[in-house]
Amino acid sequence: GNSVTQMEGPVTLSEEAFLTINCTYTATGYPSLFWYVQYPGEGLQLLLKATKADDKGSNKGFEATYRKETTSFHLEKGSVQVSDSAVYFCALSMNTGFQKLVFGTGTRLLVSP
Amino acid sequence: DVKVTQSSRYLVKRTGEKVFLECVQDMDHENMFWYRQDPGLGLRLIYFSYDVKMKEKGDIPEGYSVSREKKERFSLILESASTNQTSMYLCASSPIPGQDTYGYTFGSGTRLTVV
């Protein structure tokens, strides 16, 4: 079946450090890929998405590129802030039939001043 | 601002109780979903609905049922709550049946504790 694998956390960084959170997927076909963020005490919010190979999603300084050859969608940010501390979820959905989101297990990011 | 509203942020229930978790969306979305979130397991789909009175089992439906009598409301029912159902429950909705490139909109979650 379809699945998403994320790096385990927590990822602990100092403010202004470079962030990478790895995400790889397994899917039969060509899915759409998403990153969601969950701030403490809140539900999930869509951070960015990409719907086909080589697309780059970006939002709030975060970027991720859909790499079909490596089945990856790694999340990056050049300079993290304390306010970026949250749990980040990678997810996929197929583009045929009824698309349900399949989530990774989430990666907690902790940014210290 | 568009919203998915879950009726309770925190609930404490006793083992064996019947529990109702309510979710309302104001975006006229066709699809609605219930997930549970547990540490180390991520989000797991319990049930979803793509239309009024329609429901489909997700990956972990055992011990749960759902009701969707109106388009905007999707209820999750624990027929007889057990301690292993202690979890964070997240409701979500999405537009356009069969097309999810817009992403889901999530509620803030209900943290249920069964004692």
Side-chain angles (χ1 to χ4, degrees):
Chain A
N2 302 324
S3 65
V4 174
T5 302
Q6 289 181 238
M7 60 189 292
E8 286 197 28
V11 174
T12 304
L13 296 173
S14 298
E15 206 165 23
E16 300 183 2
F18 184 86
L19 168 71
T20 300
I21 299 178
N22 290 337
C23 170
T24 58
Y25 67 90
T26 301
T28 52
Y30 302 105
S32 293
L33 300 172
F34 305 83
W35 277 101
Y36 282 80
V37 59
Q38 184 179 35
Y39 298 105
E42 298 183 13
L44 277 69
Q45 303 173 23
L46 179 63
L47 180 60
L48 54 83
K49 66 180 188 289
T51 58
K52 61 183 187 296
D54 300 324
D55 270 2
K56 177 183 284 188
S58 61
N59 186 26
K60 300 181 181 180
F62 290 89
E63 293 183 341
T65 301
Y66 189 140
R67 301 287 188 199
K68 187 175 72 172
E69 63 276 11
T70 55
T71 62
S72 65
F73 192 55
H74 304 322
L75 183 68
E76 296 181 335
K77 187 175 186 183
S79 176
V80 294
Q81 305 301 311
V82 172
S83 57
D84 293 326
S85 297
V87 181
Y88 293 83
F89 291 89
C90 186
L92 68 81
S93 76
M94 300 310 297
N95 294 318
T96 58
F98 184 92
Q99 295 106 5
K100 296 174 287 181
L101 276 176
V102 175
F103 287 90
T105 54
T107 302
R108 183 176 297 278
L109 171 65
L110 299 171
V111 181
S112 56
Chain B
D1 194 14
V2 294
K3 279 186 179 177
V4 175
T5 302
Q6 295 184 230
S7 54
S8 304
R9 291 298 299 268
Y10 300 94
L11 276 179
V12 180
K13 297 292 182 181
R14 295 193 180 277
T15 301
E17 275 194 77
K18 190 169 186 176
V19 181
F20 293 86
L21 302 183
E22 305 289 345
C23 175
V24 177
Q25 51 99 358
D26 64 2
M27 297 163 285
D28 202 34
H29 283 174
E30 287 80 5
N31 307 329
M32 296 189 74
F33 308 83
W34 275 106
Y35 286 87
R36 64 178 283 176
Q37 181 181 8
D38 300 289
L41 298 177
L43 276 73
R44 294 179 292 167
L45 182 63
I46 305 172
Y47 267 95
F48 64 98
S49 168
Y50 53 89
D51 201 354
V52 176
K53 297 192 185 295
M54 304 304 291
K55 59 186 179 184
E56 295 285 343
K57 293 180 180 179
D59 301 316
I60 53 163
E62 295 79 17
Y64 304 94
S65 63
V66 290
S67 172
R68 193 166 181 200
E69 297 296 319
K70 294 184 178 181
K71 188 175 185 180
E72 67 271 19
R73 185 179 298 270
F74 192 37
S75 302
L76 179 69
I77 303 158
L78 286 65
E79 296 289 342
S80 177
S82 63
T83 54
N84 63 12
Q85 293 178 309
T86 292
S87 185
M88 169 71 87
Y89 290 88
L90 291 167
C91 176
S93 70
S94 73
I96 308 177
Q99 180 55 266
D100 190 41
T101 56
Y102 296 91
Y104 291 11
T105 301
F106 280 85
S108 298
T110 296
R111 185 166 293 283
L112 173 67
T113 302
V114 182
V115 297

